Amino acid sequence: MPELLLLMVAIVWGTSYGLTKSAIAFTSISLFIAIRFGLTFLLLLPLVAKDFKQGKNKDWKVALPTGAILALIFFFEVYGVSQTTASNAAFLISLNVIFTALVDSLLSKNKPSQSLILLSVISTFGVLLLTYHQDLGISLNSGDLCILTAAALRALMVTMTKKLTDKKQITNTALTCIQAFVVALSAYLVGALITKAPASQIPYDREFWLITAFLVLFCTLFAFYAQNYAVRKISPTKASLLMGSEPLFGAIFSMMWLNETLTYVQWLGAAILLTSVLAASVNKPDKI
């Protein structure tokens, strides 16, 4: 179940880059993040209140640092997406697979297996081929550096979630809800105090709210609940490897809905990435 959920997360996240780029055309980055995670928090609040009444969240404070990390991820990632190409963003964010293996090795006594590290390297190579265009190179402008920072923070996020929630009394619903609250509050404060973006200028365009509804329900509410559930069941490195397949599903989405085509090199990258993800999914936990 954890592996299946993470593959479903990769599928919905594969569609998120283009949708995010469309949404921030209507408003500021900070206000968009505040709206997206504020709605997520409000949707989960009734369920979390019930859990608190039943005494299921005695260790709720462990969610606060992971929420802070998540806030940083989205500031860097959304700004990066607005400043770089989709191909660059897809490749650079996938480097979190390698970063996670390194961070997991540093923070955990259980070192990732050699087969898992090898699959992580192979999947990253597959993403490089999948996002390769002959006339485009991987540049490192401000947007690329932000995406690279977000990739490193993603690695820290999954590793710290595993470490902080291990044997703690906190439900996955409460963990997701508190994280969403921290992100929404951080985005609001950044918009109001730093960028001086007026919080009152909420967009009323139908397209913005349709995109935001999809992002809230699938790419935030479902995705982060599933991630929090799965990371507590399997290793952080394996979780990142499975979620790192999102560029593959992003390419499939582009082919189906945008009538884009892949080159032979990109097809090879897709095959390599799919093979590595399937290998990680079917191996027994004690083997990978």
Side-chain angles (χ1 to χ4, degrees):
M1 182 59 71
E3 289 85 353
L4 176 61
L5 285 174
L6 289 178
L7 286 176
M8 292 174 67
V9 169
I11 291 173
V12 296
W13 275 356
T15 68
S16 66
Y17 291 107
L19 294 175
T20 297
K21 216 173 182 72
S22 299
I24 57 179
F26 294 95
T27 186
S28 66
I29 291 173
S30 57
L31 185 55
F32 166 69
I33 295 174
I35 291 172
R36 176 175 171 179
F37 282 89
L39 290 174
T40 302
F41 166 72
L42 292 175
L43 288 172
L44 288 175
L45 188 58
L47 297 175
V48 174
K50 183 179 179 182
D51 288 341
F52 269 95
K53 287 182 179 179
Q54 296 175 354
K56 295 180 179 179
N57 292 304
K58 295 180 180 179
D59 299 312
W60 64 269
K61 292 181 181 179
V62 300
L64 296 176
T66 59
I69 297 172
L70 186 59
L72 288 173
I73 290 172
F74 269 86
F75 278 114
F76 281 108
E77 191 170 299
V78 175
Y79 177 79
V81 166
S82 71
Q83 299 295 316
T84 190
T85 65
S87 296
N88 279 19
F91 169 63
L92 292 172
I93 202 68
S94 72
L95 292 179
N96 80 91
V97 177
I98 302 297
F99 293 151
T100 303
L102 295 174
V103 174
D104 195 17
S105 297
L106 291 173
L107 298 181
S108 174
K109 295 180 181 179
N110 299 320
K111 307 296 183 185
S113 66
Q114 291 183 352
S115 59
L116 184 52
I117 294 175
L118 178 61
L119 285 175
S120 298
V121 174
I122 292 173
S123 71
T124 303
F125 178 66
V127 173
L128 176 60
L129 295 181
L130 180 61
T131 58
Y132 174 77
H133 293 278
Q134 191 169 3
D135 57 338
L136 294 175
I138 298 294
S139 61
L140 284 178
N141 59 25
S142 61
D144 297 314
L145 292 174
C146 284
I147 293 292
L148 195 59
T149 303
L153 287 170
R154 275 198 189 190
L156 183 62
M157 172 75 179
V158 295
T159 306
M160 291 304 295
T161 299
K162 177 77 172 182
K163 187 177 182 66
L164 291 174
T165 61
D166 187 38
K167 298 178 182 179
K168 299 294 184 181
Q169 292 187 31
I170 180 170
T171 64
N172 294 310
T173 307
L175 180 60
T176 306
C177 183
I178 295 171
Q179 288 173 344
F181 173 76
V182 173
V183 175
L185 180 62
S186 301
Y188 175 80
L189 293 176
V190 167
L193 302 177
I194 299 179
T195 64
K196 306 297 183 181
S200 59
Q201 291 186 356
I202 297 176
Y204 293 97
D205 302 80
R206 182 171 177 268
E207 182 181 351
F208 171 83
W209 287 105
L210 287 175
I211 292 172
T212 301
F214 178 87
L215 290 172
V216 167
L217 293 175
F218 295 99
C219 300
T220 307
L221 191 62
F222 162 73
F224 285 102
Y225 180 90
Q227 175 181 286
N228 288 330
Y229 167 81
V231 165
R232 299 173 78 173
K233 299 289 185 181
I234 62 178
S235 75
T237 303
K238 185 175 183 180
S240 289
L241 173 58
L242 293 170
M243 290 187 294
S245 62
E246 62 186 88
L248 171 62
F249 298 108
I252 294 173
F253 176 79
S254 297
M255 290 176 61
M256 293 175 60
W257 296 98
L258 303 178
N259 295 320
E260 294 184 1
T261 58
L262 298 182
T263 65
Y264 290 114
V265 172
Q266 290 173 318
W267 275 115
L268 176 61
I272 292 173
L273 180 56
L274 181 60
T275 302
S276 64
V277 169
L278 288 176
S281 301
V282 300
N283 273 289
K284 295 180 180 179
D286 59 341
K287 299 280 180 128
I288 193 167

